């Protein structure tokens, strides 16, 4: 008979590799310039955000205009709306300030990259700059997101004349499902889909690539530097709130949910156990040592890390330890306090400037073409 501890470990492990979507946000009212929502720590957060509604409707939501503590609501500026927001009483609050590549440029096309189990869709976005770089930027979104979640850094790479390839990968709902369904292998398998993207860029003329990874996308990018068949093309990394140590991130996730410490331990044991990992939906157990980038002497390419102490899911200390382990290769920039993955939302100009500066330095060294 299955023990209660085993059942809890399996449930906690599933939560780590297949997190549920955040609950819907209630929309109280909207007009041409503002929208009023339930107030919580996300909808009152400083910065600019996205609000999905209906079937593909999207609003860019700006500064807070007012708080009503009695009603428990917040009113925010409406910057732009795609679709008809009026009449909708539920939405999904996200960091997606771009509804898609059309919000950035008309010069893009959908491409399909051959991967295990089928094809993974990607956006190929041409830069506005007249001078084209021979370096491509490959943008990799985080867990529970889609390609839209990786568009925040495209403006920066566009400035440098880079082609951008914004990719999907197994289990994200756009690429083919992973072997166990829509569960994440935490980067230990997804990297091969990014390898297909690097191959596509090479075949289209790229001489080097920069991998831009958000959260789990950062972990995938790091695995690619060791495992990709085309790793010699990887010139630099830009990592936003990257998971450089999944053991610490899973323990932090349990603390954030106010769960006892032993539950995180049970989840880690389950995910790394061959028999129990399959019960979670994973094709193979997780090798957490292979996913630990806070150990020295692994990183081989320069990396910019953008992170915030406000991150409640992936602690800033992981990025600090990553930088300490690679002092000659990692530049760590801490932006204003922000929830996980929202560094761009709270300071888009500072974010973009940091990426451009980091990659421009490489160009001046004649490394980026």
């Amino acid at each position: 008979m299955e023990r209660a501890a085993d059942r809890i470990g399996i449930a906690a492990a599933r939560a780590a590799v297949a997190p549920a979507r955040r609950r819907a946000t209630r929309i109280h009212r909207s007009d041409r310039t503002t929208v009023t929502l339930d107030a919580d720590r996300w909808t009152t957060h400083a910065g600019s955000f996205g609000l999905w509604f209906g079937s593909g409707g999207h609003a860019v939501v700006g500064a807070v205009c007012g708080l009503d503590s009695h009603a428990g609501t917040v009113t925010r500026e409406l910057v732009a709306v795609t679709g008809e927001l009026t009449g909708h009483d539920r939405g999904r609050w996200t960091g997606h300030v771009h509804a898609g590549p059309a919000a950035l440029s008309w010069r893009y096309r959908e491409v399909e990259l051959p991967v295990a189990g089928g094809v993974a869709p990607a956006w190929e976005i041409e830069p506005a700059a007249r001078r084209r770089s021979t370096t491509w930027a490959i943008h990799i979104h985080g867990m529970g997101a889609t390609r839209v979640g990786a568009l925040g850094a495209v403006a920066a790479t566009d400035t440098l004349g880079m082609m951008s390839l914004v990719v999907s990968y197994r289990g994200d709902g756009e690429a083919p499902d992973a072997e166990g369904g829509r569960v994440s292998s935490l980067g230990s398998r997804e990297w091969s889909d990014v390898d297909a993207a690097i191959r596509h860029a090479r075949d289209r003329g790229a001489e080097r690539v920069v991998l831009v990874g958000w959260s789990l996308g950062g972990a995938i990018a790091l695995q690619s530097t060791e495992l990709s068949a085309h790793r010699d093309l990887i010139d630099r990394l830009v990592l936003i709130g990257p998971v450089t140590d999944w053991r610490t991130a899973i323990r932090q996730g349990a603390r954030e949910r106010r769960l006892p410490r032993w539950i995180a331990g049970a989840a880690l044991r389950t995910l790394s156990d061959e028999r129990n990992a399959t019960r979670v939906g994973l094709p193979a157990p997780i090798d957490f040592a292979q996913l630990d980038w806070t150990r020295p002497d692994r990183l081989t390419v320069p990396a910019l890390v953008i992170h915030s102490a406000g991150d409640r899911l992936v602690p800033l200390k992981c990025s600090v330890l990553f930088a300490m382990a690679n002092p000659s290769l990692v530049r760590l920039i801490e932006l204003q306090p922000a929830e996980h993955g929202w560094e761009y939302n709270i300071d888009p100009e500072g974010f973009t400037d940091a990426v451009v500066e980091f990659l421009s330095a490489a160009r001046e060294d004649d490394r980026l073409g």
Side-chain angles (χ1 to χ4, degrees), residues 5-346:
D6 290 337
R7 290 195 300 271
I8 293 171
I10 290 169
R14 282 201 185 105
V17 297
R21 273 190 172 188
R22 189 178 300 147
R23 63 181 176 80
T25 296
R26 183 181 174 189
I27 303 171
H28 289 261
R29 59 187 173 275
S30 64
D31 55 35
R32 291 194 305 170
T33 60
T34 64
V35 60
T36 300
L37 313 160
D38 272 352
D40 56 35
R41 86 180 201 216
W42 296 284
T43 59
T44 58
H45 201 293
S48 296
F49 296 91
L51 179 68
W52 294 99
F53 59 89
S55 181
H58 179 266
V60 181
V61 182
V64 172
C65 302
L67 285 166
D68 186 333
S69 57
H70 178 72
T73 61
V74 58
T75 299
R76 300 187 70 129
E77 174 189 8
L78 270 182
V79 177
V81 180
T82 303
E84 182 56 57
L85 179 58
T86 303
H88 289 278
D89 61 1
R90 288 288 186 276
R92 187 164 61 89
W93 185 262
T94 75
H96 305 159
V97 292
H98 306 108
L104 293 163
S105 169
W106 60 268
R107 295 175 300 275
Y108 75 93
R109 68 187 184 112
E110 185 102 7
V111 296
E112 293 184 335
L113 308 180
V115 297
V119 295
W123 290 315
E124 192 178 275
I125 304 174
E126 294 185 26
R130 290 185 179 181
R131 183 190 174 195
R132 298 292 179 87
S133 173
T134 56
T135 297
W136 282 43
I138 297 176
H139 303 259
I140 314 163
H141 66 77
M143 188 186 299
T146 63
R147 286 176 286 167
V148 171
L151 289 173
V154 170
T157 55
D158 180 281
T159 297
L160 297 170
M162 297 181 192
M163 289 285 289
S164 281
L165 192 62
V166 187
V167 303
S168 58
Y169 52 79
R170 66 191 64 192
D172 69 358
E174 291 193 298
D177 280 351
E179 293 177 45
R182 291 187 183 179
V183 295
S184 173
S185 292
L186 307 184
S188 60
R189 287 177 174 258
E190 292 88 345
W191 67 267
S192 65
D193 298 337
V194 171
D195 192 39
I198 301 173
R199 182 172 61 249
H200 172 86
R202 181 206 61 189
D203 292 346
R204 292 269 283 122
E207 296 180 7
R208 302 174 184 85
V209 297
V210 171
L211 301 184
V212 184
W214 300 71
S215 186
L216 166 62
I220 296 170
L222 287 164
Q223 292 301 305
S224 299
T225 65
E226 282 190 341
L227 303 173
S228 168
H230 308 95
R231 58 187 175 275
D232 58 311
L233 295 180
I234 301 172
D235 191 73
R236 290 200 169 201
L237 305 177
V238 176
L239 310 174
I240 304 97
V243 188
T244 54
D245 178 8
W246 277 103
R247 287 172 290 206
T248 298
I250 288 172
R251 292 187 184 108
Q252 173 63 24
R255 281 194 293 272
E256 177 65 15
R257 294 172 178 81
R258 299 181 181 179
L259 298 174
R261 292 179 61 180
W262 68 267
I263 291 182
L268 292 168
R269 287 191 297 274
T270 297
L271 292 170
S272 57
D273 178 77
E274 187 167 1
R275 181 178 65 88
N276 284 327
T278 60
R279 300 174 67 185
V280 176
L282 292 168
I286 300 292
D287 181 351
F288 286 103
Q290 171 64 24
L291 299 179
D292 182 1
W293 287 84
T294 62
R295 295 181 289 121
D297 302 323
R298 290 192 69 182
L299 189 67
T300 56
V301 297
L304 170 67
V305 178
I306 300 176
H307 211 155
S308 166
D311 193 331
R312 306 192 195 196
L313 294 182
V314 180
L316 175 63
K317 73 175 183 180
C318 288
S319 289
V320 172
L321 291 173
F322 176 60
M324 291 174 63
N326 304 280
S328 65
L329 289 173
V330 175
R331 181 186 302 175
L332 173 60
I333 293 180
E334 181 183 346
L335 293 186
Q336 303 169 40
E339 295 282 352
H340 180 59
W342 285 1
E343 286 83 0
Y344 176 84
N345 299 87
I346 53 101

